[in-house]
Amino acid sequence: MDLRCKPSYRGNVLADIMSRWSRQRHDDERNVLVLNVLLLGNRQSGRSSVGNALIGGYEFQTGVSVSDVSVTTQYQVLSRNYPRYFRRQGAESDLTLRVIDTPPLLPYQQTVHELCPEGVHVLLLIVRADLPQETPHLEQHLETLFGPEWRHHTFLILTHTDQLERAGLQPSSYLTQATDWLRALAQVVDGRISFLDNSCDWPLIRGRPLIDQLLRLSARNHHRALKARTEVSL
């Protein structure tokens, strides 16, 4: 039934139109928080899988490497907007994650600056819990890249923790038996660590808790971004 043809409903229709217009205007004015997330890790560490968890899809290429060659060979930047994800100063806010996946080698200052000229809000250091591979001079490189503040913006993501459980080792006690390098790294990032199980559906199960952790970390830093210290700025 077309209610617009009946005069007795004219007031209701007008009110409905005004209500929808008001909601639309409110949506247009809704705040949007954009977070740049940089993924760092060795080959086969699970960087791309973590990226897929953050954007809720399978756009980042994953798979088993051949002849010890990483699946990710170039930088890839993908974004995902989450409408009304959280409330900020009493108002609903969208959250837009801009996720940068990187090849295994540590990036140069100029590369990071070109990918994120406005800076990086969260650094994710990704390490396989079952096959931890040390990254030489990691802390020194990050210090050169971002300055000493990098550790306050960093989460350590330990992937493949399902392999630990199969071996009878609980994640809670894992670090007590980990290598000196990994234990030291966990201390540097003030214990900000997430354990991720690769046997489950990451985008559906692990994505939301991980995003919440990143959002809380960014809020702790007042959503300030780390800018790469290029040769000009040095």
Side-chain angles (χ1 to χ4, degrees):
M1 179 183 296
D2 188 353
L3 300 182
R4 292 173 297 179
C5 298
K6 302 190 69 172
S8 61
Y9 286 95
R10 184 175 182 181
N12 291 339
V13 172
L14 180 60
D16 180 64
I17 293 174
M18 294 298 294
S19 176
R20 283 188 279 111
W21 175 82
S22 178
R23 287 197 301 270
Q24 180 63 43
R25 188 180 67 170
H26 178 71
D27 288 347
D28 292 341
E29 296 174 351
R30 194 166 59 244
N31 295 326
V32 178
L33 175 66
V34 179
L35 296 183
N36 291 327
V37 182
L38 183 64
L39 310 178
L40 298 175
N42 287 318
R43 59 176 55 88
Q44 294 297 294
S45 60
R47 295 183 318 279
S48 299
S49 295
V50 172
N52 284 332
L54 293 175
I55 64 172
Y58 296 94
E59 282 78 5
F60 287 113
Q61 185 179 4
T62 61
V64 179
S65 63
V66 178
S67 301
D68 204 30
V69 176
S70 176
V71 173
T72 301
T73 58
Q74 59 185 358
Y75 294 92
Q76 187 176 7
V77 182
L78 294 176
S79 297
R80 170 73 184 274
N81 181 68
Y82 293 93
R84 301 183 181 89
Y85 192 86
F86 69 108
R87 295 188 68 83
R88 188 181 183 188
Q89 298 179 344
E92 289 184 330
S93 295
D94 290 3
L95 175 64
T96 297
L97 291 181
R98 189 169 175 270
V99 183
I100 302 97
D101 192 12
T102 67
L105 296 179
L106 293 171
Y108 293 104
Q109 291 102 318
Q110 189 61 36
T111 302
V112 176
H113 177 71
E114 292 173 358
L115 292 169
C116 295
E118 66 278 17
V120 176
H121 298 87
V122 180
L123 292 170
L124 293 187
L125 304 183
I126 301 160
V127 177
R128 282 190 68 141
D130 59 333
L131 297 171
Q133 183 180 356
E134 182 175 349
T135 303
H137 312 298
L138 173 63
E139 296 176 35
Q140 179 181 347
H141 182 84
L142 292 175
E143 188 101 5
T144 301
L145 187 59
F146 294 113
E149 289 296 311
W150 71 267
R151 64 197 65 202
H152 302 306
H153 295 253
T154 300
F155 248 104
L156 175 60
I157 308 296
L158 296 173
T159 61
H160 297 270
T161 57
D162 51 302
Q163 300 295 332
L164 301 181
E165 297 176 359
R166 293 177 185 175
L169 183 61
Q170 296 298 319
S172 58
S173 60
Y174 168 75
L175 286 176
T176 63
Q177 304 179 40
T179 62
D180 293 341
W181 170 77
L182 193 54
R183 288 202 307 271
L185 183 59
Q187 293 177 354
V188 167
V189 299
D190 299 328
R192 290 183 291 270
I193 304 170
S194 287
F195 293 86
L196 294 182
D197 182 344
N198 286 59
S199 65
C200 66
D201 191 340
W202 279 38
L204 295 179
I205 298 176
R206 296 298 185 184
R208 177 67 189 242
L210 181 57
I211 294 172
D212 289 345
Q213 288 178 316
L214 303 191
L215 183 58
R216 285 194 294 269
L217 176 60
S218 182
R220 197 177 304 150
N221 293 313
H222 305 288
H223 301 303
R224 293 192 304 267
L226 293 168
K227 291 193 175 182
R229 305 169 77 185
T230 60
E231 294 181 358
V232 174
S233 63
L234 290 173

